[in-house]
């Protein structure tokens, strides 16, 4: 049995027994921090915590690893509820094209973007894809990510979508953090179906989904609802087919245009609606009517130079906000959530406490992990983040670009 005691913790963050599963509106400013604390873990499960003055209860010191966290903070691991971690190759050439004046949408219309990633992924073996992806997951863990959602969507054919989902399944089995799989066959129309949307949607519904159900390859279903991609009606049809095989919706909406996808997704019981760079009053009204987590991806806004999601407006309407990385080779080549934390503060005017709630409690909700992740509470099986020595918690988003996460502890 692996036992770990972390002692002399400068601040034990987000700890307690009666913490909510969602923080919204003004409550997002609340962040419990216990100063001068200890934390005990047994086989990855939180078994005790409290002020250092009360840590005398540990009597069995055999096989106990003791970590001295003098000057350091301990936080629940970040939950990254939206990533495309499985992909074949990076896309720096499109980055340079954008510097030279092309927009992300123009590059996509020329056959770059998602279709570019799909061509490269089709050529890569499942084993090579798995190895490359595993290295990425390890890097994300070194940044403090302790739960990870990963989407398919660079396959766009029956074989390649299944290949991606099987890689995610292997990552679930072989990586030490919780991983959730999302089927995103509706990420783009492949070139041969550009003028035949019906044909591709039929392929998704009649060919891909039955195999996914048979092999148990996905937890969620996603659609990129956007002009030049999937319309609201097309999204609804695909989501309903996913719901029929037990997949909960979790969708890409309102990245470049507000088409009404949020209202439809909320109506269909989506777990989260993600991106939201564009937001209209009708979207706010729809979000208030359901339990869907609005999720903002500020690193994508930063990299594509598009608007940042309006987190303050959501919170002013007593709604919750989650933050995620959107790690992918096209719009967000960074999966570093400390940077997301910083962007949320600097560009979206979230307080450090609000942004950390968005990366822990609310992000855990957005991937159905509230029972095990998001807070430091007895019985939870979440890894925890040990920071480096820092003067206070706000120093992490303040000192952007610094790697202030020392490691994850299980
Ligand atoms: O979330 N917007 C759609 N999908 C991804 C980007 C995909 C890509 O460019 O490879 C996103 O930003
Ligand atoms: Fe995405």
């Amino acid at each position: 049995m692996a036992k770990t005691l972390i002692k002399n913790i400068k601040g034990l963050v987000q700890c307690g027994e009666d913490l909510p599963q969602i923080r919204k509106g003004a409550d997002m400013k609340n962040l419990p921090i216990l100063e001068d604390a200890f934390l005990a873990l047994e086989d990855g499960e939180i078994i005790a915590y409290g002020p250092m003055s009360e840590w005398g209860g540990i009597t069995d010191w055999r096989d106990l690893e003791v970590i001295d966290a003098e000057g350091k903070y301990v936080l629940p691991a970040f939950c990254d509820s939206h990533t495309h971690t499985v992909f074949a190759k990076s896309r720096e050439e499109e980055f340079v094209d954008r510097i030279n004046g092309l927009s992300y949408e123009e590059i996509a219309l020329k056959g770059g973007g998602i279709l570019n990633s799909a061509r490269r992924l089709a050529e890569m073996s499942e084993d090579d894809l798995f190895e490359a992806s595993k290295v990425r997951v390890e890097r994300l863990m070194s940044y403090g990510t302790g739960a990870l959602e990963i989407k398919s969507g660079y396959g766009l054919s029956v074989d390649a979508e299944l290949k991606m989902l099987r890689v995610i399944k292997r990552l679930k089995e072989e990586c030490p953090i919780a991983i959730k799989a999302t089927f995103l066959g509706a990420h783009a129309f492949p070139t041969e179906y550009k003028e035949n949307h019906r044909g591709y949607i039929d392929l998704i519904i009649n060919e891909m989904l039955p195999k996914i159900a048979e092999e148990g390859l996905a937890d969620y279903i996603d659609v990129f609802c956007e002009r030049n991609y999937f319309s609201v009606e097309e999204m609804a049809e695909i989501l309903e087919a996913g719901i029929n095989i037990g997949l909960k919706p979790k969708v890409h909406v309102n990245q470049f245009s507000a088409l009404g996808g949020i209202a439809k997704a909320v109506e269909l019981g989506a777990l989260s609606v993600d991106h939201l760079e564009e937001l209209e009053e009708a979207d706010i009204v729809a979000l208030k009517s359901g339990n869907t987590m609005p999720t903002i991806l500020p690193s994508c806004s930063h990299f594509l130079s598009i608007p940042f999601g309006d987190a303050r407006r959501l919170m002013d309407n007593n709604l919750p906000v989650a933050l995620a990385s959107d790690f992918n080779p096209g719009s967000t080549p960074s999966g570093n959530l400390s940077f997301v934390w910083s962007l949320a503060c600097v560009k979206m005017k979230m307080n450090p406490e609000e942004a950390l709630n968005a990366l822990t409690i609310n992000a855990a909700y957005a991937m159905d992990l509230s029972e095990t992740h998001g807070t430091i509470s007895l019985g939870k099986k979440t890894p925890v983040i040990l920071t480096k020595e820092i003067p206070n918690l706000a120093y992490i988003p303040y000192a952007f670009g610094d790697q202030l996460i020392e490691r994850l502890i299980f």
Side-chain angles (χ1 to χ4, degrees), residues 82 84 87 91 94 104 112-115 117 151 153-154 184 187 222 224 226 229 252 255-256 274-275 277 297 300 304 326-332:
H82 181 138
H84 309 250
F87 57 87
R91 303 203 317 248
E94 294 178 6
Y104 177 80
I114 295 164
L115 296 182
S117 279
K151 299 171 193 299
Y154 293 128
L184 177 55
H187 199 189
D222 193 347
F224 186 17
E226 187 56 63
Y229 293 85
H252 283 75
Q255 182 175 8
F256 302 106
D274 303 18
H275 271 289
E277 288 86 342
L297 316 167
C300 174
L304 295 187
D326 198 18
F327 179 40
N328 76 75
S331 72
T332 320

Side-chain angles (χ1 to χ4, degrees), residues 225 232 235-236 239 251 253-254 258-270 272-273 276 279-292:
C225 180
V232 175
M235 173 187 80
L239 294 183
V251 294
V253 275
N254 291 41
L259 306 176
I262 291 183
K264 187 43 96 178
V266 171
E267 186 190 315
L268 290 171
S272 70
V273 284
L276 318 189
L279 201 59
E280 293 184 347
E281 194 49 37
D283 300 320
I284 301 266
V285 172
L287 285 166
K288 283 181 161 176
S289 73
N291 302 312
T292 300

Side-chain angles (χ1 to χ4, degrees), residues 377-404:
S377 312
L378 297 177
K380 282 205 174 182
K381 274 219 165 200
T382 175
V384 297
I385 289 173
L386 178 68
T387 70
K388 294 185 180 162
E389 285 190 30
I390 46 175
N392 48 55
L393 201 59
Y395 190 80
I396 298 177
Y398 158 85
F400 75 94
D402 275 7
Q403 167 63 307
L404 296 168

